[in-house]
Amino acid sequence: MKKFINIKIGILLLTISLISCNDNLNIEPEQYLSTEVVISNSENLSKVLNNAYNDARSSSSYGGSIAIASELIADDGDLWWNGTYVDPGEFIEKAMLSDNGFVESIWMNGYDIINQANIILGNSSAYVDEDEKQTAEAEAKFLRAMVYFDLARLFSKPYTNGIQNTQLGVPLVFTAVLDPKNIDYPTRNTLEEVYTQVITDLTDAYDLLPSSNGVYATKYSAAALLARVYLQMGDYTNARDMADEVINNSGASLTNTFSGAFNNDENSEEDLLAWQVTSQDASSNYLNLFFAGSDFGGRSGNPDIDVEDQHYDIYDDSNDQRANFFYEAKYWCTTKWQYQFGNIPFIRLAEMYLIRAESNFRLTTTVGDTPVNDINKLRSRSTASTFGTVDLDIILMERKRELSFEGFALFDAKRLGNNIGTISYDANQLVLPIPLRETDANTNLEQNPGY
């Protein structure tokens, strides 16, 4: 199966000049591509787009750092950090500093992806084929929305449904930076403005993306991400309807077993989008590096992140495959991230059943199916006993059983108003600091409270 290719386009390369005697020789190496060539050639623009996917799956973003930050910051005894890296240790202690290297990488890589998306959108007239142009624009909007959504969830206070969210979000940037001498110093937009832009971009992506697009984003990837965004906003009607659209029309299906959804060389039938990993770039998978023991690609003999006894209390049935989806490497590890070279699931169909179940329950509707039937689909797949009825607590616990260690913990705590131990869900400690590097370079960026 086609994988994302690791290609870097030299958009801002300096011309090499050699001086010999009285002659000035301007030599352009074969790998040199001027800015003008890149933005005027559809083939090269497609490589920029491909590289945006490559950056998205890197360890700095969806290859691990975002999910690890979410899981460790929201942890209240399910996990333990055994590693020697200082930065993840700050996450689990809820004591991040503004010079945290993981935080800086999340921010910088996120805006690198956004910039590449803006390059595509600002120069898509270079595409001759209208269908190719439309798909490229839609993929760029999908990637831009995805990054803005998660930057907002990490660097801002929780979104509050029904209230104008005037608290600070992140800067919205729409103009591509092609020359480092010509850069802007933006201020932070409001959280409301960020979410509005995310919805706009994803809606456009949903309308314009094809139903099938290889390993790249499709209209159903966009619909699924919209369902996730709407759920975070507390817009349960739209969350329900988007999840229902994906369940009914995407062609995706639950894997036969819970284990079948993870550690795959190729996308499973459950994946609505997965980040591609090969043996040449497996180091981009921080989820494996920090969650696994060394026998399975982890950084050390003992896992840097181990699963504590408290976590096992959430499983109500010993026959549930999820209750036994662990292995021992001195400490206990989740089997979700056991394969060093496996693809990284980003949006699974199981999440759509959970979103539809929760939204239907909150709305007292049965669009697509009843909440109890949707929950029982997941429990049956995991060989757990099924329920006769469900309430909101059961649905949310089922969500935790299904999605643990996949990067949902902090974002669910914020949207549900769940405190982390004695720390309030909307505390400054649960919001990442704007990186010191950025506030030093751009005095227009207002730092988050507490930093």
Side-chain angles (χ1 to χ4, degrees):
M1 177 173 285
K2 187 176 181 181
K3 300 276 187 176
F4 303 150
I5 303 170
N6 188 1
I7 296 175
K8 287 284 185 185
I9 304 297
I11 296 173
L12 302 175
L13 287 179
L14 298 177
T15 303
I16 297 175
S17 63
L18 300 177
I19 301 176
S20 176
C21 299
N22 296 321
D23 295 327
N24 291 332
L25 303 178
N26 292 325
I27 300 175
E28 290 190 355
E30 290 184 5
Q31 70 270 24
Y32 178 92
L33 288 175
S34 69
T35 301
E36 292 73 18
V37 169
V38 171
I39 65 177
S40 62
N41 181 292
S42 62
E43 181 180 353
N44 289 331
L45 279 177
S46 294
K47 291 176 181 177
V48 174
L49 179 60
N50 192 77
N51 192 70
Y53 278 101
N54 181 67
D55 284 345
R57 65 82 190 263
S58 78
S59 59
S60 296
S61 294
Y62 298 96
S65 288
I66 290 174
I68 287 170
S70 175
E71 293 296 328
L72 292 183
I73 293 171
D75 181 65
D76 185 29
D78 285 12
L79 298 174
W80 186 255
W81 173 253
N82 287 306
T84 57
Y85 283 29
V86 173
D87 300 332
E90 291 180 4
F91 291 153
I92 205 163
E93 294 295 332
K94 288 76 168 163
M96 291 80 74
L97 300 178
S98 60
D99 63 351
N100 184 294
F102 275 51
V103 174
E104 180 180 302
S105 294
I106 290 170
W107 179 280
M108 290 180 62
N109 201 60
Y111 276 99
D112 190 14
I113 297 163
I114 290 167
N115 191 52
Q116 291 172 86
N118 287 338
I119 290 171
I120 301 299
L121 292 167
N123 299 279
S124 61
S125 59
Y127 286 95
V128 177
D129 183 271
E130 190 61 31
D131 289 340
E132 186 180 7
K133 174 185 175 182
Q134 177 177 293
T135 299
E137 289 177 337
E139 288 182 84
K141 288 185 175 184
F142 174 88
L143 292 169
R144 185 170 70 180
M146 174 188 72
V147 173
Y148 275 136
F149 176 50
D150 282 321
L151 290 180
R153 293 200 290 178
L154 287 167
F155 290 92
S156 302
K157 293 291 184 77
Y159 186 95
T160 305
N161 185 35
I163 298 175
Q164 188 71 16
N165 290 273
T166 57
Q167 68 258 38
L168 292 178
V170 295
L172 291 173
V173 181
F174 303 109
T175 302
V177 177
L178 295 170
D179 186 336
K181 297 191 297 290
N182 299 318
I183 60 174
D184 294 323
Y185 295 91
T187 59
R188 296 173 67 178
N189 289 78
T190 67
L191 191 59
E192 190 74 37
E193 289 169 334
V194 176
Y195 271 84
T196 297
Q197 185 60 45
V198 168
I199 295 296
T200 298
D201 274 352
L202 285 177
T203 300
D204 287 349
Y206 170 70
D207 290 338
L208 298 175
L209 279 169
S211 299
S212 177
N213 196 23
V215 296
Y216 302 95
T218 68
K219 75 183 289 90
Y220 298 110
S221 307
L225 190 52
L226 271 169
R228 184 183 289 180
V229 172
Y230 284 129
L231 187 75
Q232 193 74 37
M233 297 171 68
D235 183 348
Y236 299 113
T237 299
N238 279 315
R240 176 201 63 195
D241 292 348
M242 286 284 86
D244 186 60
E245 164 75 356
V246 174
I247 292 167
N248 289 328
N249 298 316
S250 66
S253 59
L254 294 176
T255 55
N256 290 332
T257 62
F258 181 69
S259 62
F262 303 95
N263 304 306
N264 296 306
D265 288 313
E266 299 185 352
N267 290 1
S268 76
E269 59 267 35
E270 186 168 327
D271 287 322
L272 296 160
L273 186 67
W275 305 113
Q276 308 298 295
V277 177
T278 72
S279 58
Q280 282 71 47
D281 52 28
S283 62
S284 67
N285 187 350
Y286 266 16
L287 291 161
N288 174 263
L289 188 68
F290 292 118
F291 271 105
S294 58
D295 288 345
F296 298 100
R299 196 174 69 86
S300 59
N302 305 321
D304 283 344
I305 302 174
D306 69 88
V307 182
E308 296 288 279
D309 290 342
Q310 173 180 299
H311 177 76
Y312 302 107
D313 293 340
I314 72 172
Y315 302 102
D316 61 343
D317 187 337
S318 60
N319 293 319
D320 190 337
Q321 293 175 6
R322 297 168 302 188
N324 302 297
F325 208 56
F326 304 92
Y327 65 97
E328 190 173 9
K330 184 175 181 180
Y331 302 114
W332 285 98
C333 312
T334 174
T335 310
K336 284 187 175 180
W337 311 119
Q338 189 175 34
Y339 181 33
Q340 185 178 5
F341 308 124
N343 288 351
I344 302 170
F346 177 57
I347 310 177
R348 297 194 288 120
L349 186 65
E351 182 190 352
M352 297 300 106
Y353 281 108
L354 289 162
I355 290 175
R356 190 172 71 175
E358 180 181 342
S359 300
N360 267 324
F361 185 87
R362 290 180 183 273
L363 297 168
T364 63
T365 58
T366 56
V367 171
D369 209 337
T370 63
V372 68
N373 285 345
D374 278 345
I375 293 302
N376 282 339
K377 284 185 178 70
L378 300 181
R379 291 182 66 83
S380 294
R381 191 264 293 270
S382 296
T383 65
S385 58
T386 56
F387 294 125
T389 60
V390 294
D391 57 22
L392 185 59
D393 287 341
I394 289 174
I395 292 170
L396 294 176
M397 183 55 71
E398 194 65 20
R399 180 179 174 88
K400 184 173 182 179
R401 294 183 188 113
E402 182 71 29
L403 301 179
S404 286
F405 320 125
E406 295 182 51
F408 292 91
L410 177 62
F411 308 137
D412 278 347
K414 285 185 173 183
R415 76 175 179 90
L416 295 168
N418 291 339
N419 297 339
I420 310 299
T422 59
I423 300 173
S424 174
Y425 74 98
D426 59 353
N428 296 336
Q429 294 163 266
L430 305 183
V431 180
L432 295 185
I434 305 300
L436 179 64
R437 177 187 184 277
E438 300 301 310
T439 55
D440 282 349
N442 178 7
T443 56
N444 293 326
L445 279 178
E446 184 176 336
Q447 182 57 276
N448 281 322
Y451 297 102

